[in-house]
Amino acid sequence: QIDHIETVRNKLRKEWYPSVVQTVLDPPPDENLEELVAAKEHLFKAIGVLITRQLRGLVESTCSSLATFFESFSSIEEEEISQATAGKNEVKIMPAFHVKLVVSGNHIRIVPGLEELDSSLSNMLDHVVQASDGFPPPDPSLLPSYSPFSDKETASPDEETITIKQLRDDAESITSQLFENVDGSGIW
């Protein structure tokens, strides 16, 4: 599960977030674009809030799905166990955890123990939350001059033609700079 969480985090950082930055670099045509540019400080705060809300929604959805998964496992009646071991196909038993009874001298214990299960679940939830942590709002000072939201003097539309490749490359570069400022590690 932890590997999957890291995969999702990397996908968010390498695909989703750069697409957010790319939208700021080259926004779709909008009759209110001039008003948005004039209020870019508020716009960038709103973008930061939206990013946070989307990530929070992802965490809540993941936790809810995990809870639903564990709630789907109820205690198994003894009769169902005997039917399943007898090969009755209509009885499906699927444990939520693989546990063993370990006999050591006069002691019997269940492995993993309750503390280990609790620790594993807590660790998984911590990773889910950490995967969504550290996503900064885009910074207008990092945007190139062709973006209408750049702090730099904006080039006129006739002066330069921006290719899709350049947009992607710029979005990845800006994303990398933003994440490096947040966690010092970069993402690439």
Side-chain angles (χ1 to χ4, degrees):
Q1 292 298 330
I2 303 301
D3 288 341
H4 179 69
I5 292 167
E6 288 303 314
T7 300
V8 170
R9 179 178 176 84
N10 287 333
K11 190 169 188 130
L12 287 170
R13 283 186 163 210
K14 292 183 179 183
E15 293 177 26
W16 176 73
Y17 192 86
S19 72
V20 171
V21 172
Q22 191 170 335
T23 301
V24 173
L25 285 172
D26 187 32
D30 188 306
E31 62 186 43
N32 299 317
L33 185 59
E34 286 183 29
E35 293 170 17
L36 290 172
V37 170
K40 75 177 168 186
E41 182 180 321
H42 298 291
L43 175 69
F44 279 81
K45 285 180 183 178
I47 291 170
V49 169
L50 183 58
I51 287 170
T52 300
R53 289 181 60 102
Q54 287 182 334
L55 291 169
R56 180 180 176 162
L58 180 63
V59 169
E60 288 174 352
S61 172
T62 301
C63 291
S64 177
S65 295
L66 191 59
T68 301
F69 170 75
F70 284 113
E71 288 169 355
S72 70
F73 298 99
S74 59
S75 53
I76 302 168
E77 300 296 325
E78 197 171 314
E79 180 181 317
E80 290 177 319
I81 294 172
S82 62
Q83 287 178 357
T85 55
K88 305 261 180 177
N89 289 338
E90 67 275 0
V91 178
K92 305 269 188 234
I93 298 177
M94 191 170 106
F97 295 100
H98 179 77
V99 294
K100 296 179 189 176
L101 285 177
V102 176
V103 179
S104 177
N106 292 335
H107 302 282
I108 299 175
R109 62 187 169 101
I110 298 174
V111 177
L114 187 55
E115 296 82 18
E116 291 170 284
L117 291 175
D118 183 55
S119 175
S120 292
L121 289 173
S122 292
N123 189 29
M124 190 183 318
L125 292 173
D126 286 346
H127 273 82
V128 167
V129 171
Q130 289 172 0
S132 68
D133 192 30
F135 283 79
D139 181 352
S141 71
L142 297 176
L143 301 177
S145 63
Y146 65 81
S147 171
F149 300 108
S150 173
D151 282 347
K152 301 171 181 93
E153 188 172 320
T154 305
S156 71
D158 299 336
E159 287 182 29
E160 54 182 312
T161 302
I162 309 306
T163 64
I164 296 295
K165 181 179 180 343
Q166 183 178 358
L167 279 172
R168 283 190 197 124
D169 291 347
D170 287 348
E172 288 177 4
S173 173
I174 292 165
T175 299
S176 183
Q177 291 175 59
L178 287 166
F179 281 117
E180 201 160 295
N181 290 339
V182 168
D183 59 20
S185 68
I187 60 169
W188 314 103

